[in-house]
Amino acid sequence: MSYVQPHDAGRRATGIAFVVILHILLVYGLARGLHRDLAANVSQLLETKIIEEAKPPPDKPPPPPPPKLNTPPPPYIPPPEVSVQMPVAASQFAITAVTRDKPPPPPPPAAPAPRRITRQAAIVNASACEKPAYPPASLRSQEQGVVTLGFLIDLDGRVLESKVEKSSGYRRLDDAASKALGLCKFQPALIDNKPERSWARIEYEWRIDE
């Protein structure tokens, strides 16, 4: 045995009444031709949508034609040069003699002729010099002798230096001869007519004249 609450029975009655009314309206609509109007509206909507979607896109202008390129002329290739060698006469290749001996070596080149150098010795002339004064002390002491001097003649003929190679035996006479020689001037030596320094030798004789 089931019990039904009073509010559940009221809800059920309300639902049944709503269903009955819905069926009545549906039947009424079918009788009045509402289904045709609904179908027409639906078909019109579908047709409109289809027409809008099937609308073709606007035509685009055709692309410009490609530019015409002139074909370049073919490259010029010069014809190859052909050199024709004339046949050599057989007489040019004739072998006259055959030998196994090695050829002698070529003679050495001639040596250049030695350059001839002209030399001229210095001219020593004692007469061109002033006669040196006799040292007074040597006169009082009666000192006499011969002194030999070596000296260097410069490019201009002057005496640069001198040295005693053989003494007279007296220092005063040797020094007097060296001092007098420094005042002399001679003709210098020559090499290819150009003056050069050179050594020379001279003798002084100290003698007391009676």
Side-chain angles (χ1 to χ4, degrees):
M1 182 174 181
S2 61
Y3 295 93
V4 178
Q5 298 293 330
H7 59 276
D8 292 337
R11 289 180 180 177
R12 183 176 296 179
T14 302
I16 294 172
F18 178 76
V19 172
V20 172
I21 293 171
L22 183 61
H23 280 80
I24 294 172
L25 292 176
L26 182 59
V27 172
Y28 177 76
L30 291 175
R32 294 295 299 270
L34 292 175
H35 66 284
R36 289 192 298 271
D37 296 336
L38 181 62
N41 291 332
V42 172
S43 63
Q44 184 179 2
L45 180 61
L46 293 176
E47 184 179 359
T48 303
K49 293 296 182 180
I50 292 173
I51 290 173
E52 289 180 359
E53 292 179 0
K55 187 177 181 181
D59 296 336
K60 296 181 179 180
K68 293 183 180 181
L69 300 177
N70 296 328
T71 305
Y76 173 72
I77 301 176
E81 296 182 0
V82 179
S83 59
V84 179
Q85 296 181 356
M86 299 300 293
V88 182
S91 61
Q92 295 183 5
F93 294 96
I95 299 175
T96 57
V98 178
T99 178
R100 295 180 180 274
D101 298 334
K102 293 182 180 180
R115 180 173 172 271
R116 186 175 180 180
I117 300 175
T118 59
R119 294 178 179 272
Q120 181 178 346
I123 298 177
V124 179
N125 185 7
S127 61
C129 299
E130 294 184 3
K131 187 175 181 181
Y134 217 108
S138 297
L139 284 176
R140 290 192 298 269
S141 301
Q142 298 292 312
E143 296 176 353
Q144 301 184 93
V146 178
V147 55
T148 303
L149 299 175
F151 58 98
L152 179 62
I153 303 175
D154 200 1
L155 301 179
D156 59 355
R158 299 182 182 277
V159 178
L160 288 178
E161 59 177 302
S162 62
K163 59 183 179 179
V164 177
E165 294 185 355
K166 184 178 179 181
S167 175
S168 62
Y170 301 98
R171 177 68 176 274
R172 285 190 291 265
L173 297 179
D174 295 343
D175 293 341
S178 298
K179 185 177 180 180
L181 182 63
L183 301 176
C184 296
K185 189 174 182 180
F186 306 98
Q187 184 175 346
L190 300 177
I191 293 182
D192 290 340
N193 295 325
K194 293 181 180 181
E196 71 164 355
R197 292 178 178 179
S198 62
W199 285 87
R201 183 181 291 107
I202 194 172
E203 291 182 351
Y204 274 97
E205 182 181 1
W206 297 96
R207 186 176 59 184
I208 299 175
D209 295 331
E210 296 179 355

